[in-house]
Amino acid sequence: MLEIIRIPVLSDNYVWLVHEPQSKETMVVDPAVAGPVLAEADARGWKITQIWNTHWHPDHTGGNAEIKEATGCHITGPQAEKDRIPTLDRLVKEGDQVRLGSVVADVIDVPAHTAGHIAFHAADEKVVFVGDTLFAMGCGRLFEGTAAQMFDNMQRLSKLPGDTQVYCAHEYTQANGEYALVAEPDNQALKERMDSVLAARAKGEATVPTTIALEAATNPFMRAVSAEQLADRRTAKDNF
C-alpha cells in the first residue's frame, strides 16, 4: 500500500518520503534537509502531513523546522530526546504506535547510536525504518550507548519476519561490506552480496532498502553471537 521514495541528500544520506494513497497522507522519515524533500513531494502532488524522527542527529532532523513551516506538518520523535529535537509535537517510546492514514507502526526502542534512538515497524506493510541503528551489512557507531544495547537491538530486529524491508538512512553498504569480508571471510552469501553491491555502486545505484533475511545472512553485527563479539567487531570497524 505504501509508496516509499528514496531522496538522496548530503553526501550519503537517504531521506524517505512515504505516501499512503487511501488517506493521501505523506510522511517524511529523518529529513536531513528540507529543499529536496519539499520539491519531491510537490512534484508528485503530495502534501507532507507528518515527519517521523528516529534520533536527534542534525543529519536526521535538520529539515524539520523548514518543512513544518512550509506544510504545517506534525512531527513525531523519541521521548528520550525531546530536549535535543525542539520541533517535536508528539513524543513516543517503546509500546507506542504511530499512524499514517490506515497504516500503523509500532515504536521500538533501539538505544546505542544515541541514547533515545527509536525505530518504526509497520508490520502489515513489512517495513521498518531504522535510522542509524541497522545498516546494510553494518550497524551504527556507539556514540551514546553500549555494545550490549546494540547487541540487543540486533537480536530484536533479527526476529522480525525475514521479508521485512529495512529502510536505513545512509549509503554505507560498500564500506560496510569491505569490513564484513574481513570479519567473516568464509561467508559465501556475503561474498556473493558484495559482488552485487560493487556492481550496483559502479552504476551509481542505491543498495538500500535491504531485508532482515539478507542482514541475518551477511551482516557481521546482526550475526554476532555475543555483546563481546559485537563490541570487538564495532571497534575493528571503527578502525578499519
Side-chain angles (χ1 to χ4, degrees):
M1 183 187 299
L2 291 178
E3 297 178 54
I4 304 177
I5 306 301
R6 179 194 305 105
I7 305 175
V9 299
L10 304 180
S11 61
D12 55 30
N13 276 71
Y14 290 135
V15 178
W16 302 105
L17 185 67
V18 185
H19 184 69
E20 198 281 291
Q22 276 191 322
S23 65
K24 300 190 178 348
E25 273 211 81
T26 302
M27 177 270 291
V28 186
V29 181
D30 287 346
V33 295
V37 178
L38 291 167
E40 185 69 34
D42 185 62
R44 293 172 178 276
W46 295 350
K47 177 175 171 54
I48 295 170
T49 56
Q50 296 188 52
I51 293 171
W52 295 356
N53 289 146
T54 62
H55 65 292
W56 69 267
H57 284 167
D59 65 327
H60 294 254
T61 60
N64 278 12
E66 187 177 338
I67 294 173
K68 187 173 186 175
E69 183 177 357
T71 65
C73 69
H74 187 272
I75 306 180
T76 297
Q79 179 175 314
E81 297 184 358
K82 65 181 186 300
D83 294 336
R84 309 194 81 163
I85 314 176
T87 49
L88 293 180
D89 298 301
R90 184 187 175 199
L91 310 175
V92 293
K93 62 184 185 307
E94 177 92 26
D96 290 332
Q97 292 184 323
V98 291
R99 289 179 175 271
L100 183 71
S102 62
V103 173
V104 178
D106 293 306
V107 176
I108 308 171
D109 286 341
V110 285
H113 182 67
T114 66
H117 201 304
I118 59 175
F120 300 96
H121 177 222
D124 289 347
E125 298 292 311
K126 299 183 178 180
V127 164
V128 62
F129 297 101
V130 293
D132 285 358
T133 293
L134 174 63
F135 292 119
M137 292 188 283
C139 74
R141 287 176 179 261
L142 307 178
F143 287 130
E144 297 177 6
T146 66
Q149 288 176 315
M150 188 61 84
F151 179 73
D152 183 61
N153 296 340
M154 295 297 104
Q155 293 297 298
R156 294 186 68 195
L157 292 171
S158 73
K159 291 178 172 60
L160 297 179
D163 58 353
T164 302
Q165 295 281 311
V166 179
Y167 290 86
C168 59
H170 291 275
E171 181 59 67
Y172 289 163
T173 311
Q174 183 173 335
N176 286 343
E178 288 168 354
Y179 166 71
L181 287 170
V182 173
E184 294 194 349
D186 299 323
N187 185 329
Q188 188 59 38
L190 173 55
K191 294 175 184 177
E192 293 171 3
R193 184 180 186 186
M194 268 304 283
D195 289 342
S196 297
V197 167
L198 292 171
R201 295 307 293 156
K203 294 184 285 188
E205 295 173 356
T207 62
V208 294
T210 177
T211 67
I212 293 295
L214 192 53
E215 296 315 305
T218 61
N219 186 321
F221 300 96
M222 184 172 277
R223 291 167 59 79
V225 298
S226 67
E228 291 74 22
Q229 185 178 51
L230 187 145
D232 290 344
R233 290 180 170 185
R234 187 64 258 178
T235 299
K237 175 64 170 68
D238 290 345
N239 296 296
F240 184 67

XYZ file of all heavy atoms in Angstrom, residues 119-216:
740
model
N 12.986 3.056 16.410
C 12.673 2.596 15.062
C 11.159 2.501 14.928
O 10.431 2.439 15.933
C 13.322 1.238 14.793
N 10.685 2.498 13.687
C 9.246 2.420 13.399
C 8.989 1.178 12.550
O 9.474 1.081 11.419
C 8.775 3.664 12.647
C 8.977 4.964 13.383
C 10.096 5.749 13.139
C 8.048 5.409 14.321
C 10.283 6.958 13.795
C 8.228 6.612 14.987
C 9.349 7.387 14.733
N 8.193 0.236 13.084
C 7.930 -1.028 12.396
C 6.462 -1.117 11.998
O 5.583 -1.224 12.859
C 8.290 -2.209 13.308
C 7.975 -3.538 12.705
N 7.398 -4.573 13.421
C 8.131 -4.013 11.442
C 7.222 -5.608 12.624
N 7.659 -5.305 11.421
N 6.193 -1.062 10.708
C 4.836 -1.231 10.180
C 4.695 -2.682 9.744
O 5.039 -3.051 8.613
C 4.593 -0.273 9.020
N 4.208 -3.523 10.656
C 4.213 -4.970 10.428
C 3.386 -5.368 9.211
O 3.817 -6.208 8.407
C 3.705 -5.688 11.678
N 2.212 -4.792 9.059
C 1.346 -5.177 7.948
C 1.947 -4.806 6.599
O 1.661 -5.446 5.585
C -0.036 -4.535 8.096
C -0.850 -5.137 9.229
O -0.455 -6.209 9.744
O -1.874 -4.534 9.614
N 2.765 -3.781 6.594
C 3.424 -3.336 5.362
C 4.777 -4.015 5.160
O 5.432 -3.808 4.139
C 3.618 -1.816 5.389
C 2.329 -1.024 5.445
C 1.534 -1.147 4.158
O 2.112 -0.956 3.073
O 0.325 -1.433 4.242
N 5.233 -4.770 6.183
C 6.544 -5.426 6.136
C 7.659 -4.412 5.900
O 8.527 -4.585 5.036
C 6.566 -6.517 5.066
C 5.550 -7.625 5.325
C 5.632 -8.724 4.302
C 4.625 -9.840 4.609
N 4.674 -10.927 3.621
N 7.625 -3.353 6.713
C 8.568 -2.246 6.580
C 9.064 -1.844 7.958
O 8.280 -1.795 8.918
C 7.866 -1.035 5.907
C 8.650 0.244 6.098
C 7.632 -1.304 4.431
N 10.358 -1.554 8.080
C 10.882 -0.968 9.316
C 11.857 0.145 8.949
O 12.716 -0.022 8.078
C 11.542 -2.029 10.233
C 12.749 -2.700 9.583
C 11.905 -1.434 11.589
N 11.655 1.306 9.585
C 12.551 2.446 9.418
C 13.480 2.474 10.632
O 13.026 2.647 11.764
C 11.749 3.749 9.327
C 10.843 3.805 8.131
C 9.486 3.553 8.253
C 11.341 4.096 6.870
C 8.641 3.592 7.159
C 10.515 4.137 5.758
C 9.159 3.888 5.897
N 14.778 2.291 10.382
C 15.718 2.027 11.479
C 16.723 3.143 11.715
O 17.590 3.012 12.586
C 16.467 0.701 11.230
C 15.533 -0.481 11.318
C 17.208 0.733 9.886
N 16.637 4.230 10.963
C 17.572 5.334 11.192
C 19.003 4.877 11.048
O 19.411 4.321 10.017
N 19.798 5.076 12.112
C 21.218 4.708 12.089
C 21.515 3.542 13.029
O 22.634 3.413 13.534
C 22.083 5.903 12.497
C 22.202 6.951 11.403
O 21.643 6.744 10.308
O 22.841 7.985 11.653
N 20.536 2.680 13.278
C 20.774 1.511 14.130
C 21.272 0.332 13.306
O 22.356 -0.203 13.555
C 19.503 1.142 14.909
O 19.225 2.182 15.845
C 19.686 -0.165 15.673
N 20.521 -0.072 12.322
C 20.891 -1.190 11.450
C 21.163 -0.649 10.054
O 20.336 0.083 9.507
C 19.753 -2.214 11.408
C 19.891 -3.387 10.448
C 21.085 -4.254 10.797
C 18.605 -4.212 10.419
N 22.312 -1.012 9.512
C 22.643 -0.675 8.128
C 22.790 -1.947 7.317
O 22.873 -3.056 7.866
C 23.963 0.116 8.057
C 23.893 1.489 8.641
C 24.697 1.835 9.711
C 23.032 2.443 8.133
C 24.647 3.104 10.260
C 22.961 3.722 8.678
C 23.773 4.048 9.737
N 22.855 -1.797 6.007
C 23.172 -2.929 5.150
C 24.593 -3.379 5.472
O 25.556 -2.647 5.255
C 23.045 -2.528 3.685
N 24.709 -4.559 6.058
C 25.981 -5.160 6.479
C 26.685 -4.367 7.579
O 27.892 -4.508 7.772
C 26.903 -5.384 5.285
C 26.387 -6.455 4.342
S 27.551 -6.917 3.037
C 27.359 -5.524 1.914
N 25.946 -3.545 8.321
C 26.573 -2.770 9.383
C 25.598 -2.396 10.476
O 24.421 -2.755 10.453
N 26.117 -1.639 11.450
C 25.286 -1.051 12.497
C 25.850 0.326 12.818
O 26.959 0.669 12.409
C 25.254 -1.921 13.759
S 26.758 -1.903 14.762
N 25.087 1.117 13.547
C 25.523 2.459 13.887
C 26.669 2.455 14.889
O 26.836 1.520 15.675
N 27.452 3.513 14.854
C 28.507 3.678 15.856
C 27.877 3.855 17.237
O 26.766 4.367 17.369
C 29.370 4.902 15.530
C 30.296 4.710 14.345
C 31.045 6.001 14.035
N 31.960 5.847 12.923
C 33.274 5.638 13.040
N 33.822 5.558 14.240
N 34.042 5.532 11.968
N 28.616 3.468 18.250
C 28.107 3.505 19.621
C 28.445 4.850 20.260
O 29.247 4.931 21.185
C 28.713 2.351 20.432
C 28.545 0.958 19.809
C 29.229 -0.096 20.670
C 27.073 0.627 19.607
N 27.796 5.906 19.801
C 28.101 7.244 20.296
C 27.616 7.468 21.729
O 28.285 8.108 22.523
C 27.483 8.307 19.381
C 28.180 8.450 18.062
C 27.442 8.434 16.885
C 29.554 8.609 17.978
C 28.070 8.574 15.651
C 30.185 8.751 16.751
C 29.439 8.730 15.583
N 26.420 6.974 22.045
C 25.824 7.277 23.353
C 25.374 6.025 24.099
O 24.672 6.133 25.107
C 24.625 8.223 23.171
C 24.996 9.577 22.582
C 23.765 10.463 22.350
O 22.656 10.083 22.751
O 23.940 11.542 21.743
N 25.748 4.868 23.610
C 25.297 3.642 24.245
C 26.376 2.585 24.239
O 27.550 2.865 23.988
N 25.982 1.364 24.478
C 26.920 0.268 24.688
C 26.763 -0.818 23.639
O 25.732 -0.930 22.969
C 26.688 -0.359 26.070
O 25.390 -0.989 26.080
C 26.764 0.688 27.178
N 27.797 -1.649 23.571
C 27.719 -2.805 22.680
C 26.611 -3.766 23.115
O 25.963 -4.396 22.278
C 29.063 -3.525 22.660
N 26.387 -3.852 24.418
C 25.307 -4.724 24.906
C 23.952 -4.238 24.401
O 23.097 -5.051 24.013
C 25.322 -4.772 26.426
N 23.750 -2.925 24.401
C 22.497 -2.382 23.866
C 22.374 -2.675 22.373
O 21.310 -3.080 21.894
C 22.432 -0.874 24.103
C 22.192 -0.481 25.542
C 22.238 1.024 25.723
O 23.131 1.701 25.202
N 21.273 1.561 26.453
N 23.454 -2.469 21.629
C 23.388 -2.711 20.187
C 23.191 -4.190 19.894
O 22.457 -4.554 18.965
C 24.640 -2.183 19.494
C 24.549 -2.228 17.969
S 23.191 -1.209 17.271
C 23.997 0.404 17.227
N 23.817 -5.057 20.681
C 23.601 -6.494 20.506
C 22.121 -6.830 20.710
O 21.535 -7.595 19.925
C 24.468 -7.275 21.496
C 24.289 -8.763 21.400
C 24.796 -9.475 20.329
C 23.599 -9.450 22.397
C 24.620 -10.862 20.242
C 23.421 -10.827 22.315
C 23.931 -11.533 21.238
N 21.519 -6.249 21.739
C 20.090 -6.473 21.985
C 19.259 -5.954 20.814
O 18.301 -6.607 20.386
C 19.673 -5.788 23.287
C 18.204 -6.047 23.627
O 17.832 -7.225 23.803
O 17.435 -5.066 23.716
N 19.629 -4.781 20.277
C 18.923 -4.255 19.103
C 18.992 -5.227 17.937
O 17.981 -5.487 17.258
C 19.541 -2.924 18.659
C 19.396 -1.819 19.680
O 18.546 -1.871 20.562
N 20.246 -0.806 19.571
N 20.193 -5.736 17.674
C 20.363 -6.661 16.549
C 19.539 -7.932 16.759
O 18.920 -8.451 15.815
C 21.836 -7.024 16.389
C 22.760 -5.880 15.995
S 22.418 -5.154 14.371
C 21.607 -3.612 14.872
N 19.525 -8.437 17.986
C 18.750 -9.642 18.278
C 17.256 -9.389 18.066
O 16.548 -10.227 17.480
C 19.008 -10.091 19.721
C 20.423 -10.578 19.969
C 20.756 -11.818 19.153
O 20.136 -12.858 19.314
N 21.720 -11.701 18.256
N 16.780 -8.263 18.514
C 15.352 -7.952 18.377
C 14.971 -7.776 16.904
O 13.948 -8.303 16.450
C 15.007 -6.678 19.154
C 15.155 -6.819 20.657
C 14.652 -5.588 21.357
N 13.204 -5.458 21.224
C 12.536 -4.338 21.495
N 13.180 -3.254 21.885
N 11.225 -4.295 21.368
N 15.776 -7.022 16.179
C 15.455 -6.780 14.778
C 15.548 -8.068 13.971
O 14.770 -8.272 13.027
C 16.377 -5.703 14.202
C 16.154 -4.288 14.766
C 17.263 -3.343 14.308
C 14.778 -3.738 14.364
N 16.464 -8.939 14.337
C 16.623 -10.195 13.596
C 15.397 -11.090 13.715
O 15.203 -11.992 12.889
C 17.861 -10.948 14.087
O 17.654 -11.517 15.365
N 14.567 -10.849 14.717
C 13.367 -11.657 14.923
C 12.165 -11.152 14.119
O 11.103 -11.798 14.114
C 13.027 -11.724 16.412
C 14.052 -12.548 17.218
C 13.722 -12.559 18.694
C 14.639 -13.532 19.451
N 16.067 -13.186 19.326
N 12.303 -10.013 13.455
C 11.241 -9.561 12.556
C 11.176 -10.527 11.368
O 12.153 -11.213 11.055
C 11.520 -8.145 12.060
C 11.563 -7.040 13.117
C 11.865 -5.697 12.464
C 10.269 -6.970 13.913
N 10.035 -10.622 10.688
C 9.947 -11.516 9.530
C 11.063 -11.229 8.522
O 11.432 -10.065 8.290
C 8.566 -11.195 8.952
C 7.771 -10.724 10.133
C 8.746 -9.965 10.983
N 11.587 -12.294 7.932
C 12.741 -12.152 7.043
C 12.496 -11.267 5.844
O 13.435 -10.651 5.314
N 11.236 -11.188 5.388
C 10.950 -10.368 4.207
C 10.649 -8.907 4.554
O 10.251 -8.133 3.682
C 9.807 -10.965 3.386
C 8.510 -11.138 4.177
O 8.520 -10.926 5.414
O 7.484 -11.496 3.559
N 10.862 -8.527 5.813
C 10.679 -7.127 6.204
C 11.705 -6.259 5.484
O 12.906 -6.524 5.526
C 10.846 -6.966 7.726
O 9.896 -7.797 8.396
C 10.634 -5.513 8.143
N 11.232 -5.210 4.831
C 12.110 -4.260 4.151
C 12.698 -3.296 5.174
O 11.962 -2.676 5.948
C 11.328 -3.483 3.088
C 10.817 -4.329 1.944
C 11.908 -4.622 0.928
O 12.620 -3.731 0.479
N 12.040 -5.895 0.565
N 14.009 -3.164 5.164
C 14.729 -2.341 6.132
C 15.183 -1.051 5.458
O 16.010 -1.082 4.537
C 15.947 -3.095 6.698
C 16.708 -2.217 7.687
C 15.512 -4.398 7.355
N 14.634 0.056 5.932
C 14.968 1.371 5.382
C 15.895 2.092 6.355
O 15.459 2.618 7.375
C 13.693 2.189 5.140
C 12.868 1.660 3.993
C 11.943 0.638 4.188
C 13.023 2.167 2.702
C 11.201 0.124 3.136
C 12.279 1.673 1.647
C 11.366 0.649 1.865
O 10.643 0.157 0.814
N 17.184 2.094 6.030
C 18.168 2.813 6.842
C 18.467 4.162 6.181
O 17.972 4.464 5.105
C 19.421 1.979 7.030
S 20.251 1.509 5.492
N 19.309 4.948 6.829
C 19.411 6.354 6.450
C 20.704 6.733 5.732
O 20.921 7.914 5.460
C 19.249 7.227 7.692
N 21.551 5.745 5.416
C 22.815 6.085 4.749
C 23.195 5.022 3.730
O 22.869 3.848 3.880
C 23.952 6.202 5.771
C 23.836 7.380 6.689
N 24.302 8.633 6.359
C 23.310 7.490 7.924
C 24.065 9.461 7.362
N 23.457 8.795 8.327
N 23.936 5.452 2.730
C 24.525 4.564 1.731
C 25.944 4.202 2.188
O 26.932 4.771 1.750
C 24.545 5.235 0.352
C 25.113 4.378 -0.771
C 24.363 3.074 -0.971
O 23.182 3.098 -1.392
O 24.965 2.026 -0.684
N 26.006 3.266 3.131
C 27.279 2.817 3.696
C 27.630 1.398 3.257
O 28.591 0.813 3.748
C 27.204 2.792 5.230
C 27.158 4.127 5.937
C 26.741 4.186 7.265
C 27.551 5.310 5.326
C 26.719 5.385 7.966
C 27.515 6.518 6.005
C 27.097 6.553 7.332
O 27.073 7.731 8.016
N 26.849 0.826 2.351
C 26.897 -0.614 2.143
C 28.254 -1.109 1.648
O 28.769 -2.120 2.148
C 25.797 -1.039 1.150
O 24.552 -0.457 1.565
C 25.655 -2.550 1.119
N 28.845 -0.420 0.694
C 30.116 -0.909 0.160
C 31.204 -0.919 1.235
O 31.918 -1.920 1.404
C 30.561 -0.068 -1.035
C 31.852 -0.577 -1.671
C 32.196 0.151 -2.950
O 31.327 0.690 -3.641
N 33.474 0.161 -3.288
N 31.328 0.174 1.983
C 32.328 0.236 3.044
C 32.039 -0.798 4.133
O 32.961 -1.455 4.650
C 32.376 1.641 3.647
N 30.767 -0.955 4.472
C 30.413 -1.970 5.461
C 30.778 -3.367 4.971
O 31.279 -4.203 5.724
C 28.913 -1.925 5.769
C 28.518 -0.740 6.620
O 29.356 -0.110 7.253
N 27.236 -0.424 6.628
N 30.509 -3.617 3.712
C 30.796 -4.929 3.155
C 32.278 -5.243 3.106
O 32.687 -6.401 3.304
N 33.084 -4.229 2.845
C 34.534 -4.450 2.823
C 35.031 -4.905 4.192
O 35.881 -5.802 4.288
C 35.238 -3.172 2.374
C 35.028 -2.883 0.884
C 35.458 -1.487 0.471
O 35.826 -0.686 1.370
O 35.410 -1.185 -0.735
N 34.486 -4.305 5.259
C 34.858 -4.785 6.596
C 34.236 -6.154 6.867
O 34.887 -7.037 7.441
C 34.424 -3.806 7.698
C 34.515 -4.476 9.039
C 35.753 -4.755 9.604
C 33.369 -4.939 9.702
C 35.852 -5.457 10.795
C 33.459 -5.639 10.892
C 34.706 -5.890 11.438
O 34.806 -6.604 12.592
N 32.994 -6.348 6.472
C 32.312 -7.623 6.732
C 33.100 -8.801 6.167
O 33.171 -9.876 6.783
C 30.902 -7.595 6.157
N 33.729 -8.608 5.012
C 34.526 -9.673 4.409
C 35.742 -10.018 5.263
O 36.212 -11.166 5.248
C 34.973 -9.262 3.004
C 33.880 -9.256 1.931
C 34.389 -8.591 0.658
C 33.397 -10.674 1.633
N 36.238 -9.051 6.003
C 37.346 -9.313 6.927
C 36.838 -10.046 8.168
O 37.479 -10.970 8.675
C 38.043 -7.987 7.319
C 39.087 -8.213 8.401
C 38.670 -7.343 6.093
N 35.668 -9.618 8.652
C 35.101 -10.247 9.854
C 34.666 -11.684 9.599
O 34.805 -12.544 10.473
C 33.910 -9.424 10.355
N 34.125 -11.956 8.398
C 33.620 -13.299 8.069
C 34.116 -13.701 6.671
O 33.333 -13.757 5.716
C 32.096 -13.326 8.124
C 31.522 -13.111 9.517
C 30.044 -13.466 9.610
O 29.387 -13.678 8.565
O 29.542 -13.539 10.744
N 35.410 -13.983 6.544
C 35.986 -14.239 5.215
C 35.464 -15.501 4.533
O 35.601 -15.638 3.312
C 37.488 -14.354 5.500
C 37.585 -14.722 6.947
C 36.428 -14.040 7.611
N 34.856 -16.406 5.285
C 34.361 -17.651 4.698
C 32.859 -17.636 4.424
O 32.280 -18.671 4.082
C 34.688 -18.828 5.632
C 36.182 -18.998 5.839
O 36.932 -18.774 4.865
O 36.600 -19.327 6.966
N 32.237 -16.460 4.563
C 30.788 -16.355 4.388
C 30.473 -16.215 2.896
O 30.631 -15.134 2.316
C 30.262 -15.144 5.182
C 28.749 -15.035 5.157
O 28.097 -15.429 4.197
N 28.184 -14.462 6.216
N 30.025 -17.302 2.274
C 29.791 -17.284 0.832
C 28.654 -16.340 0.449
O 28.718 -15.660 -0.577
C 29.489 -18.701 0.335
C 29.419 -18.832 -1.183
C 30.707 -18.421 -1.880
O 31.795 -18.691 -1.383
N 30.583 -17.763 -3.025
N 27.608 -16.293 1.271
C 26.496 -15.372 0.982
C 26.979 -13.931 0.979
O 26.535 -13.107 0.164
C 25.382 -15.562 2.002
N 27.895 -13.619 1.868
C 28.462 -12.280 1.949
C 29.282 -11.965 0.699
O 29.178 -10.865 0.127
C 29.313 -12.177 3.213
C 30.139 -10.925 3.441
C 29.278 -9.682 3.381
C 30.853 -11.020 4.783
N 30.094 -12.921 0.251
C 30.894 -12.693 -0.962
C 29.992 -12.416 -2.163
O 30.255 -11.513 -2.968
C 31.770 -13.916 -1.236
C 32.853 -14.164 -0.190
C 33.590 -15.472 -0.492
C 34.598 -15.794 0.593
N 35.267 -17.086 0.357
N 28.926 -13.197 -2.277
C 28.000 -13.004 -3.395
C 27.296 -11.658 -3.296
O 27.095 -10.967 -4.311
C 26.995 -14.153 -3.432
C 27.625 -15.489 -3.770
C 26.681 -16.662 -3.599
O 25.489 -16.422 -3.268
O 27.120 -17.817 -3.785
N 26.933 -11.295 -2.086
C 26.271 -9.997 -1.920
C 27.203 -8.857 -2.309
O 26.790 -7.896 -2.959
C 25.798 -9.816 -0.475
C 25.014 -8.519 -0.294
C 24.530 -8.326 1.115
N 23.662 -7.155 1.194
C 23.164 -6.652 2.318
N 23.432 -7.243 3.476
N 22.388 -5.591 2.300
N 28.463 -8.948 -1.899
C 29.397 -7.875 -2.228
C 29.596 -7.731 -3.728
O 29.752 -6.616 -4.241
C 30.732 -8.105 -1.520
C 30.821 -7.420 -0.177
S 30.522 -5.613 -0.246
C 32.101 -5.048 -0.889
N 29.575 -8.826 -4.455
C 29.654 -8.734 -5.911
C 28.504 -7.895 -6.454
O 28.695 -7.044 -7.336
C 29.621 -10.138 -6.531
C 30.907 -10.922 -6.294
O 31.934 -10.302 -5.958
O 30.870 -12.165 -6.434
N 27.310 -8.134 -5.921
C 26.136 -7.375 -6.365
C 26.238 -5.904 -5.962
O 25.880 -5.008 -6.734
C 24.865 -7.985 -5.769
O 24.676 -9.306 -6.218
N 26.729 -5.670 -4.743
C 26.862 -4.300 -4.251
C 27.859 -3.522 -5.105
O 27.609 -2.374 -5.509
C 27.293 -4.295 -2.768
C 27.749 -2.898 -2.325
C 26.140 -4.773 -1.890
N 28.993 -4.114 -5.389
C 30.007 -3.432 -6.191
C 29.488 -3.123 -7.585
O 29.748 -2.037 -8.134
C 31.273 -4.289 -6.270
C 32.047 -4.441 -4.958
C 33.153 -5.472 -5.108
C 32.620 -3.101 -4.500
N 28.741 -4.044 -8.158
C 28.166 -3.804 -9.483
C 27.148 -2.665 -9.439
O 27.130 -1.794 -10.336
C 27.510 -5.080 -9.999
N 26.320 -2.654 -8.397
C 25.319 -1.589 -8.264
C 25.976 -0.233 -8.073
O 25.598 0.758 -8.716
C 24.388 -1.892 -7.095
N 26.971 -0.162 -7.206
C 27.618 1.117 -6.925
C 28.400 1.624 -8.136
O 28.489 2.836 -8.359
C 28.526 0.993 -5.706
C 27.790 0.694 -4.416
C 26.661 1.687 -4.143
N 27.171 3.020 -3.873
C 26.482 4.142 -4.058
N 25.251 4.103 -4.550
N 27.020 5.306 -3.759
N 28.948 0.716 -8.915
C 29.671 1.121 -10.124
C 28.741 1.819 -11.117
O 29.181 2.666 -11.904
C 30.319 -0.098 -10.773
N 27.457 1.464 -11.039
C 26.456 2.095 -11.914
C 25.745 3.256 -11.228
O 24.796 3.818 -11.783
C 25.433 1.051 -12.361
C 26.013 -0.021 -13.261
C 24.966 -0.985 -13.765
C 24.522 -1.959 -12.679
N 23.625 -3.025 -13.226
N 26.177 3.573 -9.991
C 25.557 4.676 -9.259
C 24.211 4.343 -8.658
O 23.446 5.245 -8.311
N 23.929 3.041 -8.498
C 22.640 2.618 -7.962
C 22.691 2.497 -6.446
O 23.728 2.169 -5.866
C 22.247 1.267 -8.571
C 22.009 1.321 -10.064
C 21.777 -0.047 -10.686
O 21.869 -1.063 -9.953
O 21.519 -0.098 -11.894
N 21.544 2.729 -5.810
C 21.441 2.578 -4.360
C 21.413 1.098 -3.993
O 21.008 0.247 -4.793
C 20.181 3.263 -3.852
N 21.823 0.804 -2.755
C 21.837 -0.579 -2.277
C 20.857 -0.812 -1.126
O 20.859 -1.885 -0.530
C 23.243 -0.972 -1.812
O 23.612 -0.133 -0.710
C 24.254 -0.832 -2.934
N 20.069 0.163 -0.802
C 19.042 0.013 0.225
C 17.714 0.481 -0.364
O 17.708 1.319 -1.269
C 19.381 0.815 1.516
C 20.607 0.226 2.174
C 19.598 2.286 1.243
N 16.588 -0.059 0.114
C 16.435 -0.871 1.317
C 17.052 -2.261 1.177
O 17.336 -2.735 0.082
C 14.918 -0.963 1.494
C 14.376 -0.848 0.095
C 15.285 0.146 -0.575
N 17.245 -2.874 2.341
C 17.685 -4.254 2.429
C 16.549 -5.042 3.079
O 15.432 -4.537 3.171
C 19.006 -4.337 3.220
O 19.396 -5.710 3.364
C 18.901 -3.711 4.604
N 16.818 -6.279 3.477
C 15.802 -7.059 4.188
C 16.416 -7.676 5.443
O 17.636 -7.850 5.539
C 15.228 -8.198 3.326
O 16.248 -9.183 3.086
C 14.671 -7.686 2.005
N 15.569 -8.037 6.363
C 16.033 -8.702 7.581
C 16.741 -10.015 7.231
O 17.804 -10.334 7.790
C 14.868 -8.953 8.547
C 14.320 -7.621 9.096
C 15.287 -9.875 9.684
C 15.281 -6.824 9.958
N 16.196 -10.774 6.296
C 16.815 -12.051 5.934
C 18.206 -11.857 5.354
O 19.140 -12.615 5.673
C 15.926 -12.804 4.941
N 18.356 -10.851 4.518
C 19.662 -10.589 3.915
C 20.677 -10.167 4.975
O 21.841 -10.587 4.946
C 19.520 -9.514 2.837
C 20.696 -9.279 1.897
C 21.159 -10.580 1.240
C 20.320 -8.243 0.852
N 20.234 -9.366 5.921
C 21.145 -8.970 7.008
C 21.497 -10.155 7.897
O 22.644 -10.296 8.334
C 20.533 -7.830 7.822
C 20.335 -6.554 7.028
C 21.534 -6.199 6.172
O 22.663 -6.088 6.723
O 21.373 -6.053 4.947
N 20.526 -11.019 8.177
C 20.800 -12.189 9.005
C 21.856 -13.091 8.371
O 22.615 -13.769 9.068
C 19.517 -12.969 9.250
